[in-house]
Amino acid sequence: MSRRPARPSVPVTIDGEEHLAYEGETILDLARRVGVRIPTLCQLDGLSVYGGCRLCVVQTEGDHRLKPACATEVTGDLEVTTSTHEIREHRRRIVELLFAEGNHICAFCVSTGHCELQDLATEHNVDHIHYDYEYPRNTVDASHPKYLLDRDRCVLCTRCVRVCDEFEGAHVWDIANRGSESRIVAGLDIPWGESESCTWCGKCVLVCPTGALSFKGRSTGEMVHDPEVISFLSRARREGEWVGRKEQV
Amino acid sequence: MSTPNGNGNGQPRKLRFATAWLGGCSGCHMSFLDLDELLFDLAEHVDVVFGPLTDVKVFPPDVDITLVEGAVTNEDNVEIARAVRANTRVVVSFGDCAVTGNVTSLRNAMGDPDPMVRRVYVDHPDINGAMPTEIVPALLPQAEPLHELIPVDVYLPGCPPSGERIRNALFRLVESLEAGEGIPDMDWRTPDDLRFG
Ligand code: SF4
Ligand code: FES
């Protein structure tokens, strides 16, 4: 990751307001910089772009397709709309589908109250799921001495896969299979506790947006993740400034 | 008041209010009782005509509001849910089990419930192990949210929904029905009124 150019120079309009973006900046980065909220799920500052969840879709003038803001770089004179009825409906449906295809039982989840999926549901006024639930038969991996993987709660955002590869350099995690069969596996689908490459660093647990990855021994609502630690590390590396997190915020 | 008024003494007719308990733990009903002194206020507007808190066996006709707790998990639930729908103007899916299936639907991922019931009632008891056949209603293959079986008008999620959440929704609903305005728009809800779990 290189340092950004000194001055923003690309004119971009977001929801009718003109802004100057840095070259190579994504629509999401710009929106955040100027205080416009675009919901996200798979995206995490500091990790490579995946663009898989599609929660961050926006409309750009002259293009009927919705585009993921986290994976679309700005170009000059771009006109972006971040929130129309259609966009919000689209996002709400994505959230509902995530609920329908997993076994997300919030009532006794380790992360209830601190879950990005649960928050997205309330943000989008989801008071029930219009789709039929899949009730997939998933497995729990409790073989690691310190951590737990509950695939019922996984939304396949790949944050864990990316952080393990890109920050820890261990590449324990991958996605096996395709489509609705997709699931997170350690190594070549071995129990996590038997993985020799896992360094026990716990970064995958910190970045997980839901209760899928947790510290063992946490009860309902007790698992609070800390994805910002990765954003901090990434910024520190990039800027060469290891200012304490607390001082920074 | 949208229905013809009067009980003969010049008083407007109270709304007919019911609750039903399907496949849930009764926590939502407990939470309803957490309305505490507001129950007196509610009682000024509604008559409770059916539910675990009454001694009425058959679901009555012409009910204005019914709160339905629990997922649809056995044959008995199906019967009650249908009776509720057929006789109620505003059906409220009350709590996460009714809204999402929640804990009651945990069994679904394991498929056919028969082996589970067998495990509990036949394999494990020290004496008289047998499959329950009488009185206990048969389980459906899957526990489903209420709206999978009958149309639902209002969703009130939460496990259980807090007394405050129930108050916010219920009193608005009562007010709106009394004013003859039908089901109110639920857009006023904040995340605190919506969150699952
Ligand atoms: S385990 Fe968590 S971080 Fe990994 S893919 Fe699933 S939801 Fe994302
Ligand atoms: S946050 Fe952009 S696609 Fe997931």
Side-chain angles (χ1 to χ4, degrees):
Chain A
M1 256 165 260
S2 55
R3 276 166 175 271
R4 73 168 39 135
R7 278 170 198 289
S9 59
V10 188
V12 175
T13 307
I14 298 188
D15 297 336
E17 293 240 355
E18 282 181 32
H19 303 282
L20 285 180
Y22 291 99
E23 225 162 285
E25 200 172 23
T26 62
I27 297 176
L28 179 68
D29 286 338
L30 170 63
R32 282 189 180 157
R33 206 157 50 71
V34 301
V36 173
R37 158 124 181 117
I38 299 176
T40 53
L41 181 58
C42 66
Q43 191 275 346
L44 182 63
D45 267 352
L47 299 184
S48 60
V49 173
Y50 172 49
C53 75
R54 256 40 191 183
L55 246 318
C56 66
V57 284
V58 293
Q59 194 105 49
T60 53
E61 187 63 31
D63 191 341
H64 67 280
R65 290 167 307 175
L66 297 175
K67 291 203 179 86
C70 72
T72 309
E73 286 186 7
V74 295
T75 50
D77 299 324
L78 194 65
E79 280 182 41
V80 184
T81 311
T82 66
S83 178
T84 61
H85 178 71
E86 186 202 343
I87 294 172
R88 281 192 305 273
E89 275 299 285
H90 194 86
R91 292 178 185 147
R92 184 182 57 73
R93 284 194 197 125
I94 292 174
V95 173
E96 288 195 21
L97 284 167
L98 286 171
F99 273 94
E101 73 180 10
N103 294 313
H104 299 281
I105 315 259
C106 299
F108 65 95
C109 176
V110 282
S111 285
T112 184
H114 325 281
C115 169
E116 294 182 36
L117 180 64
Q118 198 182 27
D119 288 346
L120 283 166
T122 52
E123 180 180 349
H124 292 90
N125 275 320
V126 174
D127 65 0
H128 72 292
I129 309 300
H130 293 78
Y131 303 99
D132 288 348
Y133 286 88
E134 291 278 329
Y135 308 117
R137 182 150 198 182
N138 295 324
T139 48
V140 171
D141 187 339
S143 61
H144 196 286
K146 280 183 75 175
Y147 313 124
L148 191 82
L149 167 62
D150 181 350
R151 294 188 177 89
D152 283 322
R153 309 195 186 280
C154 173
V155 290
L156 296 168
C157 68
T158 75
R159 282 189 194 177
C160 55
V161 177
R162 286 175 284 155
V163 80
C164 186
D165 181 45
E166 297 165 16
F167 271 77
E168 189 61 8
H171 201 127
V172 171
W173 298 111
D174 264 303
I175 294 197
N177 305 331
R178 302 182 68 116
S180 59
E181 300 288 303
S182 304
R183 59 197 189 92
I184 292 291
V185 292
L188 289 173
D189 203 359
I190 56 170
W192 187 1
E194 288 170 25
S195 164
E196 285 178 14
S197 38
C198 176
T199 64
W200 295 36
C201 77
K203 290 193 185 70
C204 55
V205 178
L206 292 181
V207 298
C208 183
T210 70
L213 286 166
S214 63
F215 298 133
K216 270 191 172 167
R218 297 290 158 101
S219 172
T220 304
E222 288 180 355
M223 181 66 220
V224 185
H225 299 88
D226 188 10
E228 277 76 33
V229 78
I230 298 304
S231 314
F232 166 73
L233 288 176
S234 140
R235 200 162 39 233
R237 271 186 187 174
R238 188 178 61 224
E239 313 289 340
E241 272 179 35
W242 296 81
V243 188
R245 279 177 84 195
K246 290 214 182 86
E247 296 152 43
Q248 211 174 46
V249 290
Chain B
M1 185 81 34
S2 56
T3 36
N5 306 321
N7 53 8
N9 359 326
Q11 297 288 317
R13 181 179 84 78
K14 283 184 177 180
L15 294 175
R16 287 162 63 77
F17 175 80
T19 67
W21 179 12
L22 312 184
C25 70
S26 139
C28 297
H29 274 85
M30 295 296 156
S31 205
F32 173 74
L33 295 180
D34 281 344
L35 285 176
D36 298 332
E37 70 274 13
L38 289 176
L39 288 168
F40 293 105
D41 295 344
L42 185 64
E44 282 175 17
H45 297 269
V46 307
D47 283 326
V48 181
V49 294
F50 183 85
L53 309 170
T54 69
D55 194 20
V56 179
K57 301 293 179 225
V58 180
F59 196 85
D62 297 324
V63 177
D64 295 293
I65 303 170
T66 304
L67 305 184
V68 184
E69 170 190 331
V72 180
T73 192
N74 64 37
E75 286 172 355
D76 190 45
N77 298 156
V78 173
E79 220 172 280
I80 296 177
R82 291 211 170 113
V84 166
R85 182 68 277 182
N87 295 289
T88 308
R89 282 167 69 202
V90 183
V91 173
V92 181
S93 194
F94 180 38
D96 273 3
C97 288
V99 175
T100 75
N102 203 28
V103 176
T104 315
S105 70
L106 268 178
R107 68 177 172 91
N108 292 358
M110 289 187 274
D112 181 8
D114 223 52
M116 290 177 254
V117 179
R118 206 164 278 282
R119 187 71 187 247
V120 175
Y121 289 94
V122 182
D123 301 349
H124 273 297
D126 296 329
I127 49 161
N128 298 339
M131 282 298 269
T133 50
E134 283 168 46
I135 303 175
V136 192
L139 288 174
L140 303 174
Q142 294 209 309
E144 300 279 4
L146 183 65
H147 64 268
E148 292 285 334
L149 181 73
I150 59 166
V152 163
D153 303 302
V154 175
Y155 296 85
L156 191 46
C159 183
S162 65
E164 207 179 316
R165 208 185 268 197
I166 299 171
R167 177 199 68 195
N168 291 347
L170 192 55
F171 280 88
R172 250 170 235 253
L173 191 53
V174 166
E175 226 171 76
S176 173
L177 291 191
E178 281 183 340
E181 287 164 5
I183 300 166
D185 184 332
M186 300 301 273
D187 284 353
W188 52 269
R189 290 185 292 187
T190 65
D192 279 346
D193 290 293
L194 277 171
R195 188 178 296 278
F196 292 138

